[in-house]
Amino acid sequence: MLRPLLLVLVLTSFVCAESVICRDPDCGKNVTQLIQSRGYPVQEFQVQTADGYLLGVQRIPYGLNSTNRNNRPPVLLQHGLEDASHTWVANYYTYQCLAYILVEAGYDVWLGNNRGNVYSKAHVSLNPDSKEFWEFSWDEMAKYDLPAMLTFIQNITGAAKVVHVGHSEGTMQGFAGYQNPDVASKVAVFVALAPVAYIGHLGSKFLVNLAKLDVAGIVSLLGFKQFLPSTALIHDVAEIACDVSDKVCNDAMCALMGCDPNNWNQTRWDVFASLDPAGTSVQNMVHFQQGANKDNWCYMDFGYFGNKDHYGHHDAPCYDLGKVNLPIALFSGGQDDLADPTDVARLKQELPASSIVYQYNINYYSHLDFIWGLDAYHVLYPQVLQVIQKYQPIPGTVSRG
């Protein structure tokens, strides 16, 4: 069942210290370079969290066709697991990328990055090579990263509220973080693409096997700190796999994250492989693994004695979706192996009914279709834009209800 990943790993034995042949000129570009290559303005910031992490955040302040460059409502786009801000601009055509769609619609678009990915490997005092730097999971992303980015955007723009659009892990940290009413008050509407909280019904064979075999726990015991870090070797191997065989590339990517290759631009495989995985901590993967094995949605479980040190009692506390009180729009997929329909149904049931202001399901959508799907620009993003315009309208326009 791990055959797709093993196929990629086998290729490493044939890798020479030569440059990898890439069929796409966008290979090797970071998020800023991708945006600039399409002619858009981009700004880079470093956001400091309350616990000292330095997060790379990019901003597209206005579009190519913008007449108004001021007082544009801010939107934060937050990536998923093993991903980064480049995911929102990774498709070839700008009309297929949500970031460009929103900026051309009149919004001030901010691209967030969680701690530990390729754009956020810095701290005010901790060395990224240290064990201490990597002692985090999505608990800390919810508690520290999300509030820091929202507050920073408010301070720079002067906006009272920010729109949050999250994908996968970018929704999980929202559902956790918005249980704090002070953080929830910063957000006009929370748009959750492939919404994730409970993951007990994972359909991804790769992730299911990681959980069953306790791979993340074993890796942690061996002293590794990063899980699938963004390194030149990993991306070179992935690009070689895509050059050698599109089928190997398809199998590996879909085993990792769940996808429908027919709804992706398959000429962009090289680019996707050069960008992701973008890196996270082993502890984060252990936390995901705990949720899959226990079918709960709780804080990181450090064990009987570790929990006592962290939480003051021997059991890890659990989150309460009933405390999430802000407008939420849920966009789900019927073929999503990571945000499984059964788990999404449980999420909906536990959220306050008054908080769910919009629901939209695409029966044939899998996990990555929400960000890279070829048809997302006409079957998904118009609905996303409609929700945003209702709760955070462009100044001088009428809210679309």
Side-chain angles (χ1 to χ4, degrees):
M1 284 181 281
L2 295 177
R3 180 172 57 88
L5 181 62
L6 292 174
L7 285 172
V8 175
L9 294 176
V10 166
L11 289 171
T12 62
S13 62
F14 300 102
V15 176
C16 298
E18 298 175 0
S19 62
V20 176
I21 298 174
C22 178
R23 294 171 292 185
D24 194 299
D26 284 336
C27 282
K29 291 179 181 175
N30 62 27
V31 59
T32 297
Q33 293 165 335
L34 285 171
I35 295 168
Q36 290 173 333
S37 71
R38 301 304 187 265
Y40 281 84
V42 59
Q43 300 170 359
E44 294 182 304
F45 298 91
Q46 200 169 56
V47 177
Q48 182 175 328
T49 67
D51 60 342
Y53 283 81
L54 301 175
L55 312 177
V57 173
Q58 295 81 35
R59 179 192 193 187
I60 310 176
Y62 51 84
L64 300 181
N65 304 311
S66 301
T67 55
N68 176 26
R69 297 187 176 185
N70 301 308
N71 301 318
R72 297 162 67 91
V75 179
L76 171 65
L77 302 183
Q78 192 60 31
H79 63 81
L81 178 64
E82 282 288 356
D83 207 350
S85 56
H86 48 234
T87 199
W88 304 103
V89 294
N91 266 328
Y92 181 78
Y93 295 105
T94 57
Y95 71 83
Q96 295 174 326
C97 301
L98 183 58
Y100 299 128
I101 291 172
L102 292 175
V103 79
E104 292 298 353
Y107 290 93
D108 180 359
V109 175
W110 294 73
L111 308 177
N113 287 287
N114 285 324
R115 60 185 62 196
N117 81 6
V118 65
Y119 304 113
S120 299
K121 287 187 178 180
H123 192 277
V124 294
S125 61
L126 297 176
N127 190 317
D129 291 330
S130 70
K131 177 176 70 72
E132 290 76 15
F133 179 92
W134 297 97
E135 291 178 342
F136 64 80
S137 76
W138 55 264
D139 282 337
E140 286 73 28
M141 298 173 192
K143 183 178 181 180
Y144 298 114
D145 295 1
L146 181 58
M149 289 185 283
L150 291 172
T151 301
F152 185 87
I153 293 170
Q154 286 179 309
N155 291 339
I156 293 294
T157 64
K161 291 182 180 289
V162 179
V163 173
H164 171 197
V165 180
H167 174 250
S168 188
E169 181 186 72
T171 71
M172 179 179 275
Q173 69 190 106
F175 292 125
Y178 296 141
Q179 294 181 33
N180 181 337
D182 291 335
V183 180
S185 69
K186 299 176 180 291
V187 176
V189 63
F190 174 29
V191 178
L193 307 179
V196 174
Y198 295 101
I199 55 172
H201 295 83
L202 275 176
S204 165
K205 292 180 180 179
F206 175 74
L207 293 178
V208 167
N209 278 278
L210 281 184
K212 287 182 177 179
L213 298 173
D214 192 19
V215 171
I218 294 170
V219 169
S220 179
L221 287 173
L222 291 174
F224 292 95
K225 304 177 290 290
Q226 301 182 60
F227 192 91
L228 291 181
S230 178
T231 65
L233 175 60
I234 286 180
H235 293 306
D236 284 357
V237 170
E239 289 176 35
I240 289 174
C242 296
D243 286 332
V244 171
S245 168
D246 283 339
K247 185 179 187 307
V248 170
C249 201
N250 292 356
D251 284 350
M253 292 283 278
C254 293
L256 280 168
M257 295 174 283
C259 69
D260 174 11
N262 295 322
N263 197 29
W264 288 15
N265 181 350
Q266 297 192 31
T267 66
R268 295 287 280 180
W269 281 118
D270 288 346
V271 177
F272 298 149
S274 74
L275 295 171
D276 292 329
T280 191
S281 69
V282 170
Q283 182 169 309
N284 192 34
M285 295 305 299
V286 170
H287 196 180
F288 270 94
Q289 177 181 293
Q290 290 175 354
N293 287 336
K294 298 179 181 179
D295 193 18
N296 63 15
W297 193 46
C298 301
Y299 286 75
M300 178 78 185
D301 189 341
F302 294 96
Y304 186 82
F305 296 106
N307 288 337
K308 182 69 174 178
D309 292 337
H310 279 82
Y311 310 120
H313 42 83
H314 296 299
D315 296 316
C318 293
Y319 290 96
D320 182 1
L321 286 165
K323 295 181 179 179
V324 183
N325 291 298
L326 78 164
I328 301 171
L330 299 172
F331 293 84
S332 55
Q335 303 300 316
D336 195 329
D337 284 341
L338 277 76
D340 181 87
T342 301
D343 292 326
V344 173
R346 184 178 179 185
L347 166 70
K348 292 178 183 178
Q349 184 178 18
E350 295 188 15
L351 284 169
S354 59
S355 291
I356 303 176
V357 298
Y358 190 87
Q359 300 180 59
Y360 188 67
N361 181 74
I362 303 177
N363 289 331
Y364 62 91
Y365 254 40
S366 55
H367 202 62
L368 294 181
D369 289 327
F370 291 90
I371 48 174
W372 295 344
L374 284 175
D375 64 0
Y377 75 96
H378 68 84
V379 303
L380 172 63
Y381 296 156
Q383 285 73 19
V384 170
L385 181 58
Q386 182 178 347
V387 170
I388 293 174
Q389 289 172 330
K390 178 178 180 180
Y391 288 91
Q392 189 83 308
I394 303 295
T397 65
V398 178
S399 173
R400 296 178 59 180

